[in-house]
Amino acid sequence: MPDGVAAQVDCGSRLFLALPDDVLALVSAYLRPLDLCALALCCRGLRAAVASSEKAWLAQCRRLGPPAHALPLWREGVRSYRALCRFLAAVAPLLGVWVHQNPELGNVVSVLWGFLSVVGVRIIPQELGPLGLDAGPLLWAPVFEILADADGAPSCFFHHGRGDHGEDCLYPGSVQSIDPSCNILLLEVDVHHKDPAFPPDTLHLPRSQIFSAVSDRKDPTLVRNLHWSDSSNTNSTPSAAPPSPPSIPFSRLPFNDRRRLLDLVTGRVHLEIPLDLATAPLFDRSPPCDDAKLLARRWSELVKIHEQISGGRIDRKAAELAPGLIEHAPTANGDVISHHQITVSGKRKALVSVAAYLRDGFKQFMSRSNSSKVAGLISRNGNSWGSAQKKHAQLHQFLMSGDAVGLSLRAAHMRLTAYRAWPDMHDNWFALYKLPMQVPSACHEHAGLWAGTFGWPPGQPSEDKPGKALFFLLLSYEEVEERTLLVATKILEGTHYVLHPNGSAMFIAKLDETSSDAFPWETDSEPLQVEVEQSYSGEGIASGYGFRYPGSKPGSLFVLQNGLLAFVWKESRSVLTLQRIDLQELLKRGERVPMLPPVANFSYLTKSYSNVTDCEEALKLPTIPRLTSWYYGLGSTLG
């Protein structure tokens, strides 16, 4: 570099460093973390300024979307705002709505911010009373949570579930990986090595894409220190990691072995939750609740527990795994897994027989008509996922590749096939699938998550039905043959027995075709007049060729005042009224209910057309009204 240019760069960096720390933080608020790291590569002065500026990393934390008021409290649990930014950037891709096909009433899991954590909770299919969600809060059950450690690593994973005697239990594990563009969440069993070369607490998290463009060859120690480490020792150079031994992916095991292994591990690592932790909130509740101290104490206790039990890993030889888990397994150097030393309490004492698992797995495999579509799923690196599964691995080979086993969560990206907004799902994967959520804009003003009930006026119960089913719909825009369509995909149905398949299009509106139908104002009670802003022709769901293939009948979509939507079936004059919802706010005002057993609490693979939760009886209580209603002029209980 010519001396003149070098002098100009040096002068520029000096001027930048002369800025007050508040100004540097203000400038960094307009930068991405990638840009902030690139700025630190310019010179040693900027490196020190960026690495030590708490305000600059606080600005980056705010960009990642957690509650602004919570950041100072979260900062007290980690070493620095840079460590906090590490955690937020790693887990932010998990936020959103995740689904599974079974049970058909709806398996909706919302992932939201906790306290130095992200929490996954399942929305329970339910009915609402005439006073809406203010009188009958949204019901939910916890599924999993990922907590940050003091260094900001998302290393503490806890799965939630119900124990053998109905008690609330935690099932510790590890986070295997989080892809920044993940669209599938997998519950697996991971094999670990206790050898010093393979420390059991090592967390293999890929670098976030926002940091991937920073070149290590310019200054390896700088990138290491800026990226995540808060250690003051910057003189040591990174040592080359020893090569990992060959391992077999959990996904290569047959479905029967995967299910039995998950049942075994959850039965061995379960922790009964102390009463004070069981009653503590998982995330901020709506005012007047002030949960900061409870949340902080709960986070601290769980991180300590996770560290003390080494992530809940089971020694393979000491555990001796359950009888019947491995049959006719060949020995290797005398390393045999015996079948007589393990005892599992309660209902898991004998586990479920191999024949039952094979029968259930075969039924699930044969029942889905679209399983052939899913078999062609393509993984991110271009390999066929379906073809990779044709050659199953042996269970004893999977277990012998390490010294300890434990639960793990893996957030991966795969090129999934889909019909409209609903992904095609494999019958025997313990997985949740992320819904592609379109961001509302001027051209897509109705995109997003909506909720509603049948009937007009909304919120008015009938004599035979004191409560009405609450529907959750995902509205998305599609371009088909140069026509713009608004598709309402059903993701949750609050009836006691499902009427339409999960992922069905409740209605499709043709946005380039105005409807000439009139809105059915006439009712048995006093009519409720609202202004119709727009109307579109469309088709609504109807009975078709069996349950799996519903038909459609003509109808109209009406855009009403206050942002309400109403779809009317022309023949039956049935009305489905919808309003946009903020799911996180509803959950903060919601009510926690009992969970399912651990594996089923993540993915309920058995086909079911009715509510499978433990809150069925609670939903039938007449003292808990369960019907959505909206109040025109005063706003909505859902909004």
Side-chain angles (χ1 to χ4, degrees):
M1 180 182 296
D3 294 340
V5 177
Q8 292 178 6
V9 172
D10 183 64
C11 180
S13 62
R14 288 178 182 273
L15 291 175
F16 196 86
L17 291 171
L19 296 174
D21 196 35
D22 290 338
V23 178
L24 178 61
L26 183 62
V27 172
S28 64
Y30 294 92
L31 302 176
R32 299 171 298 167
L34 168 63
D35 301 325
L36 197 60
C37 290
L39 178 64
L41 291 173
C42 294
C43 66
R44 294 180 179 178
L46 286 175
R47 165 190 172 182
V50 170
S52 62
S53 176
E54 285 281 272
K55 293 182 179 180
W57 289 105
L58 172 60
Q60 295 301 317
C61 292
R62 288 171 176 163
R63 287 176 56 93
L64 293 169
H69 70 276
L71 290 177
L73 298 174
W74 295 5
R75 166 62 182 85
E76 296 178 8
V78 293
R79 301 185 188 280
S80 65
Y81 274 118
R82 187 175 56 190
L84 180 57
C85 184
R86 171 194 185 183
F87 173 73
L88 299 180
V91 301
L94 299 177
L95 299 174
V97 177
W98 301 74
V99 295
H100 195 275
Q101 186 70 39
N102 296 316
E104 293 285 357
L105 278 177
N107 192 341
V108 179
V109 175
S110 174
V111 179
L112 66 159
W113 295 112
F115 183 93
L116 269 175
S117 65
V118 288
V119 182
V121 299
R122 173 168 290 106
I123 315 301
I124 306 301
Q126 59 201 269
E127 293 179 349
L128 297 177
L131 297 181
L133 292 174
D134 284 344
L138 190 69
L139 304 180
W140 58 270
V143 178
F144 69 87
E145 54 187 316
I146 300 174
L147 297 86
D149 61 17
D151 294 323
S155 57
C156 303
F157 167 65
F158 285 99
H159 184 52
H160 288 254
R162 187 188 67 211
D164 294 327
H165 305 289
E167 72 280 11
D168 289 348
C169 290
L170 290 176
Y171 303 84
S174 61
V175 179
Q176 188 176 359
S177 63
I178 301 178
D179 192 290
S181 57
C182 58
N183 59 359
I184 185 170
L185 205 56
L186 297 155
L187 183 66
E188 300 181 338
V189 171
D190 198 13
V191 179
H192 303 270
H193 295 269
K194 295 187 297 182
D195 188 274
F198 306 97
D201 292 330
T202 300
L203 182 67
H204 302 286
L205 285 176
R207 293 188 176 186
S208 177
Q209 286 183 344
I210 55 178
F211 290 98
S212 61
V214 180
S215 175
D216 288 7
R217 65 177 179 270
K218 292 186 177 180
D219 192 338
T221 59
L222 168 62
V223 174
R224 184 182 72 252
N225 293 327
L226 276 181
H227 187 69
W228 296 135
S229 175
D230 285 278
S231 174
S232 58
N233 182 15
T234 59
N235 296 324
S236 61
T237 57
S239 58
S244 300
S247 59
I248 299 174
F250 181 73
S251 58
R252 284 196 56 201
L253 294 176
F255 169 71
N256 186 43
D257 289 343
R258 284 185 279 122
R259 185 163 192 167
R260 284 185 296 160
L261 197 53
L262 282 171
D263 282 338
L264 172 68
V265 173
T266 54
R268 295 283 294 179
V269 305
H270 74 279
L271 304 171
E272 292 190 22
I273 308 177
L275 182 60
D276 56 342
L277 293 182
T279 57
L282 277 67
F283 45 81
D284 273 326
R285 294 175 292 184
S286 296
C289 298
D290 186 5
D291 299 322
K293 292 183 179 179
L294 292 174
L295 289 168
R297 181 177 176 276
R298 183 181 183 277
W299 170 83
S300 177
E301 291 293 331
L302 290 181
V303 171
K304 290 179 181 177
I305 291 174
H306 196 277
E307 182 179 357
Q308 291 171 358
I309 62 177
S310 300
R313 297 171 187 170
I314 308 171
D315 186 88
R316 178 176 61 85
K317 297 179 181 179
E320 295 293 345
L321 302 182
L325 185 67
I326 302 179
E327 298 181 356
H328 311 294
T331 60
N333 299 326
D335 188 9
V336 184
I337 300 177
S338 67
H339 296 159
H340 64 277
Q341 295 183 0
I342 183 172
T343 58
V344 182
S345 62
K347 297 179 182 178
R348 291 193 180 87
K349 191 172 183 179
L351 294 176
V352 182
S353 65
V354 177
Y357 280 125
L358 289 174
R359 182 180 66 251
D360 292 343
F362 181 75
K363 287 181 179 179
Q364 293 171 23
F365 178 80
M366 296 299 295
S367 60
R368 287 291 296 273
S369 61
N370 62 349
S371 59
S372 59
K373 298 180 182 178
V374 184
L377 293 177
I378 305 300
S379 65
R380 190 177 183 179
N381 60 7
N383 296 326
S384 172
W385 185 271
S387 60
Q389 300 305 306
K390 292 179 181 179
K391 187 177 181 180
H392 292 304
Q394 297 296 320
L395 180 57
H396 70 276
Q397 295 174 344
F398 172 79
L399 293 173
M400 288 181 179
S401 61
D403 303 308
V405 295
L407 282 182
S408 68
L409 186 72
R410 181 164 64 96
H413 176 85
M414 298 179 186
R415 286 189 287 175
L416 302 173
T417 59
Y419 180 71
R420 302 198 185 278
W422 191 256
D424 289 328
M425 304 179 191
H426 205 284
D427 279 331
N428 55 23
W429 289 0
F430 297 93
L432 295 171
Y433 299 79
K434 194 169 188 178
L435 277 184
M437 196 81 66
Q438 294 181 355
V439 179
S441 62
C443 298
H444 298 161
E445 58 179 328
H446 301 308
L449 194 60
W450 296 67
T453 59
F454 277 93
W456 185 265
Q460 179 175 316
S462 58
E463 295 182 358
D464 58 334
K465 292 184 179 180
K468 293 187 177 181
L470 174 66
F471 285 79
F472 276 14
L473 304 182
L474 176 67
L475 269 60
S476 57
Y477 288 78
E478 292 186 9
E479 297 291 335
V480 179
E481 297 179 356
E482 300 182 354
R483 302 186 67 177
T484 302
L485 304 178
L486 179 62
V487 181
T489 303
K490 189 209 80 169
I491 65 174
L492 184 138
E493 179 179 339
T495 56
H496 293 297
Y497 195 83
V498 67
L499 300 178
H500 304 294
N502 209 0
S504 301
M506 289 296 290
F507 64 82
I508 300 176
K510 306 169 185 176
L511 300 185
D512 58 349
E513 186 175 324
T514 303
S515 174
S516 58
D517 296 336
F519 192 86
W521 304 114
E522 301 81 6
T523 61
D524 295 335
S525 59
E526 184 177 347
L528 176 62
Q529 295 286 342
V530 294
E531 180 183 352
V532 176
E533 297 180 354
Q534 288 177 312
S535 62
Y536 306 100
S537 297
E539 295 180 344
I541 197 168
S543 298
Y545 184 73
F547 171 80
R548 181 57 57 189
Y549 303 100
S552 61
K553 290 187 177 181
S556 300
L557 177 66
F558 296 89
V559 180
L560 307 180
Q561 66 182 21
N562 298 333
L564 300 177
L565 297 178
F567 188 86
V568 180
W569 279 256
K570 186 174 183 179
E571 180 180 337
S572 63
R573 299 180 72 81
S574 299
V575 181
L576 175 62
T577 311
L578 303 172
Q579 180 162 345
R580 188 187 299 276
I581 61 172
D582 186 338
L583 188 53
Q584 290 193 21
E585 290 300 320
L586 290 180
L587 291 170
K588 290 179 180 180
R589 305 201 308 263
E591 177 184 338
R592 181 173 174 174
V593 299
M595 302 163 284
L596 293 171
V599 178
N601 197 42
F602 189 87
S603 291
Y604 193 89
L605 298 186
T606 304
K607 282 195 174 298
S608 175
Y609 302 98
S610 61
N611 199 342
V612 298
T613 66
D614 283 344
C615 62
E616 290 176 324
E617 294 302 322
L619 292 174
K620 300 175 184 177
L621 293 177
T623 56
I624 305 179
R626 303 292 183 200
L627 172 61
T628 306
S629 64
W630 292 270
Y631 298 94
Y632 303 101
L634 296 179
S636 168
T637 60
L638 289 176

